Amino acid sequence: MHGDSGARKDGGYQLSHAMWLEKAGDVEGAAAAYRTVIEAGVPHTAGMAATNLGVLLTRHGDPEGAAAAYRQAVDSGHPDAAPLAAANLGVLLQQQGDVDGAAAAYRSAVDSGHPDAAPRAAFDLGNMLAERGDAEGARAALQHAVDSGHPEDAPGAAFCLGYLLKQQGRPEEARAAYQLAIDSGHPRAGSMAACNLGFLLKLQGDADGAAAAYRRAIDFGHPDFAPKAALDLGLLLAGNGDPDGARSALQRVVDSGHPHLSEDARTALAGLG
């Protein structure tokens, strides 16, 4: 027992030293130190060192070395390192065009149930499958991320799920998914979902609902999506006989100074007379 405790302590020191070297900008020194920890084979630290090495090599242009390190971390079975490495490996393999390998890595992370790695991998898997035309697989993966309730990944997955459902001709389910993203309060996903919900409701002929959704997007205050929603709201109100409301919304876009949308808003304001 004492020997194992000493090895753990020593491995922990070496891992901390490797992380310090990385933070100090010594890439080669950090990589060598991580490899020393991995080769020592102490389960508590080897898996984390392999994951960290994979991240380091990814950042510094060695994807093959990174993939090998991530696989070592996955094989370690470490409860944190293995799922995190699997999620990262999925991203790396997807970037390299290995869709099957990426899907397997993502599913490994999802199946782990890790509170951070599993939702992120489900989100990434869902988006990859959507890009590949596997709508049902994408929907299941994105729903998994939504159901996780993860504060960062669930709102983004809800937005993507809403978009996918709209593309599939399931507008009511899309509305529900968008609403989940909005209700999360996530500054980016909520803003995007409110904009898209407004557009969807406008298509369905629900002008009041669309206006409310656009106003919700404005309230989020996102530097891109709030002006976009204000422009869409202004155009909606102008077309529905509310010139004063339209002017107010369009002026908000102009005042935002958005590099592209403010000019569109000026043009629309001029058209109102």
Side-chain angles (χ1 to χ4, degrees):
M1 289 293 289
H2 291 297
D4 179 61
S5 176
R8 275 185 146 208
K9 193 175 291 184
D10 186 50
Y13 167 77
Q14 290 175 328
L15 179 59
S16 296
H17 180 60
M19 293 167 71
W20 182 84
L21 289 171
E22 181 177 356
K23 191 173 182 180
D26 184 356
V27 175
E28 289 185 11
Y34 283 136
R35 289 189 175 102
T36 298
V37 179
I38 295 165
E39 287 162 9
V42 180
H44 185 67
T45 50
M48 289 305 297
T51 299
N52 287 7
L53 177 60
V55 173
L56 178 70
L57 295 175
T58 298
R59 286 176 180 161
H60 293 278
D62 183 2
E64 296 304 322
Y70 286 143
R71 288 190 173 99
Q72 283 183 297
V74 171
D75 292 343
S76 76
H78 188 282
D80 289 315
L84 291 168
N88 288 352
L89 179 61
V91 172
L92 191 62
L93 294 174
Q94 183 180 349
Q95 289 171 344
Q96 293 177 327
D98 181 0
V99 175
D100 291 340
Y106 285 142
R107 288 192 173 101
S108 173
V110 172
D111 291 344
S112 74
H114 189 276
D116 292 315
R120 175 159 59 91
F123 186 13
D124 288 339
L125 174 62
N127 284 329
M128 183 182 76
L129 294 176
E131 288 172 9
R132 303 290 297 180
D134 179 0
E136 289 309 306
R139 190 167 60 85
L142 291 170
Q143 188 66 58
H144 189 97
V146 171
D147 292 343
S148 75
H150 190 279
E152 187 64 34
D153 294 312
F159 166 75
C160 291
L161 181 60
Y163 183 81
L164 179 68
L165 290 166
K166 179 182 176 294
Q167 297 296 103
Q168 288 184 293
R170 299 159 79 162
E172 298 310 312
E173 292 172 81
R175 285 174 59 171
Y178 284 145
Q179 195 63 53
L180 281 175
I182 294 165
D183 292 343
S184 75
H186 190 279
R188 180 175 176 82
S191 300
M192 294 169 66
C195 283
N196 279 30
L197 178 59
F199 182 71
L200 176 59
L201 292 172
K202 181 182 174 183
L203 287 179
Q204 292 183 314
D206 182 358
D208 290 342
Y214 288 141
R215 289 189 176 102
R216 184 70 182 90
I218 293 166
D219 290 343
F220 272 102
H222 190 280
D224 289 317
F225 301 117
K228 176 70 168 70
L231 178 61
D232 288 341
L233 176 61
L235 296 175
L236 175 71
L237 295 175
N240 281 275
D242 182 1
D244 291 339
R247 283 191 192 93
S248 176
L250 293 169
Q251 189 60 52
R252 181 188 287 266
V253 187
V254 173
D255 294 343
S256 75
H258 191 280
H260 309 300
L261 300 175
S262 56
E263 192 56 41
D264 293 338
R266 285 192 187 92
T267 301
L269 274 171
L272 286 172

